């Protein structure tokens, strides 16, 4: 079976929108400001975007506050072709711990992460459905450490469950990740050194202690 080219699929959707001169409403789940920087620069030319910051996995709470403030600051400062707004989801770490219960010792990128992705994308799908958005998607595919096929598969599944279209993506394509680093420097964004949860945080601490 040939592997899907999610960037090409997104290109085709955008081409159709431009032909029809349509500007749909997109709910964009964001994990952090650095990852969303390129995605917003790219997609705001074609969509009216609401950034949905829903990340109950982030540990500790102080880290969460830094990341959400950086997201707001970026949106306030960046120029966009079409309006970009922001909606903050509920920060309830208990939902994350319940979602990954029994998978705490899984390695990064494994089953624990899949359950975390599903939690956040399902909540994004619910918010998109409730808000009457045309599409929803996530910035997570910009990371070289995260599987675009896995994220797109989960997004499409929860989108079908909720009855809202998931916008396919692999934002690391077209030098998206490289551009996000450039924009992070330009806007002096805080760039964290771990994904977000207590388990990824402990691995950073472990790595530091081994040096």
């Amino acid at each position: 079976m040939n592997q899907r080219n999610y960037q090409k699929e997104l290109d085709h959707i955008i081409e159709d929108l431009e032909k029809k001169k349509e500007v749909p409403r997109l709910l964009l789940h964001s994990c952090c400001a650095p990852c969303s920087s390129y995605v917003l620069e790219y997609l705001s030319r074609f969509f009216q975007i609401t950034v949905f910051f829903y990340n109950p996995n982030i540990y500790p709470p102080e880290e969460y506050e830094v990341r959400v403030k950086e997201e707001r600051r970026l949106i306030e400062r960046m120029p966009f072709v079409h309006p970009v707004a922001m909606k903050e989801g509920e920060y309830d770490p208990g939902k994350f711990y319940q979602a990954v219960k029994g998978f705490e010792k899984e390695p990064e990128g494994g089953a624990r992460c899949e359950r975390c992705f599903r939690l956040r994308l399902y909540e994004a799908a619910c918010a998109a459905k409730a808000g009457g958005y045309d599409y929803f998607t996530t910035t997570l595919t910009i990371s070289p450490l995260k599987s675009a096929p896995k994220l797109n598969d989960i997004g499409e599944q929860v989108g079908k469950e909720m009855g809202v279209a998931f916008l396919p993506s692999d934002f690391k394509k077209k030098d998206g990740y490289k551009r996000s680093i450039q924009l992070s420097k330009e806007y002096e964004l805080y760039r964290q050194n771990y994904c977000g949860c207590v388990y990824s945080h402990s691995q950073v601490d472990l790595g530091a202690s081994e040096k």
Side-chain angles (χ1 to χ4, degrees):
M1 182 181 292
N2 292 330
Q3 186 172 343
R4 290 170 59 184
N5 186 323
Y6 299 102
Q7 179 60 53
K8 187 171 291 186
E9 290 181 25
L10 177 56
D11 288 340
H12 289 158
I13 291 172
I14 289 174
E15 287 172 7
D16 288 340
L17 294 176
E18 290 187 300
K19 289 177 183 177
K20 297 175 183 176
K21 297 184 178 180
E22 295 178 353
V23 184
R25 296 175 67 229
L26 169 68
L27 189 81
L28 174 66
H29 166 262
S30 174
C31 55
C32 63
C35 286
S36 68
S37 59
Y38 162 73
V39 180
L40 287 171
E41 179 184 66
Y42 172 35
L43 292 185
S44 67
R45 293 178 289 163
F46 314 107
F47 298 89
Q48 297 180 51
I49 300 175
T50 296
V51 172
F52 183 53
F53 194 90
Y54 178 70
N55 301 288
N57 58 306
I58 295 177
Y59 168 89
E62 295 80 9
E63 177 73 15
Y64 175 86
E65 291 300 327
V66 170
R67 296 194 194 188
V68 75
K69 286 179 181 177
E70 283 294 271
E71 187 72 62
R72 292 188 187 281
R73 186 171 70 87
L74 175 66
I75 293 171
E76 290 171 357
R77 292 184 61 193
M78 276 192 82
F80 302 114
V81 176
H82 297 293
V84 173
M86 179 171 167
K87 175 181 175 64
E88 183 180 357
E90 180 185 17
Y91 179 59
D92 182 359
K95 290 186 177 180
F96 165 71
Y97 292 119
Q98 183 61 37
V100 303
K101 188 175 182 180
F103 295 83
E104 294 88 348
K105 295 183 179 180
E106 288 285 318
E108 283 295 290
R112 185 186 69 243
C113 294
E114 285 189 41
R115 295 175 75 86
C116 178
F117 297 156
R118 183 173 295 277
L119 169 66
R120 290 187 281 170
L121 288 175
Y122 179 76
E123 193 68 22
C126 290
K129 179 67 173 180
Y133 289 84
D134 301 292
Y135 296 94
F136 79 103
T137 195
T138 179
T139 63
L140 287 166
T141 64
I142 199 170
S143 170
L145 301 177
K146 293 180 173 61
S147 167
K150 189 177 297 181
L151 285 161
N152 278 272
D153 184 53
I154 293 171
E156 289 171 355
Q157 288 178 22
V158 298
K160 288 179 181 178
E161 290 176 26
M162 293 306 303
V164 59
F166 179 77
L167 193 70
S169 75
D170 190 355
F171 292 122
K172 67 181 71 66
K173 300 291 187 180
K174 293 187 174 181
D175 286 330
Y177 179 68
K178 181 179 178 181
R179 178 59 178 158
S180 74
I181 294 174
Q182 293 172 342
L183 288 168
S184 294
K185 291 179 180 178
E186 180 180 339
Y187 289 97
E188 299 180 322
L189 298 176
Y190 163 69
R191 290 182 63 85
Q192 62 276 3
N193 63 351
Y194 66 106
C195 180
C197 75
V198 64
Y199 310 110
S200 59
H201 184 270
S202 64
Q203 290 194 6
V204 171
D205 289 342
L206 179 62
S209 66
E210 291 176 345
K211 291 180 181 178

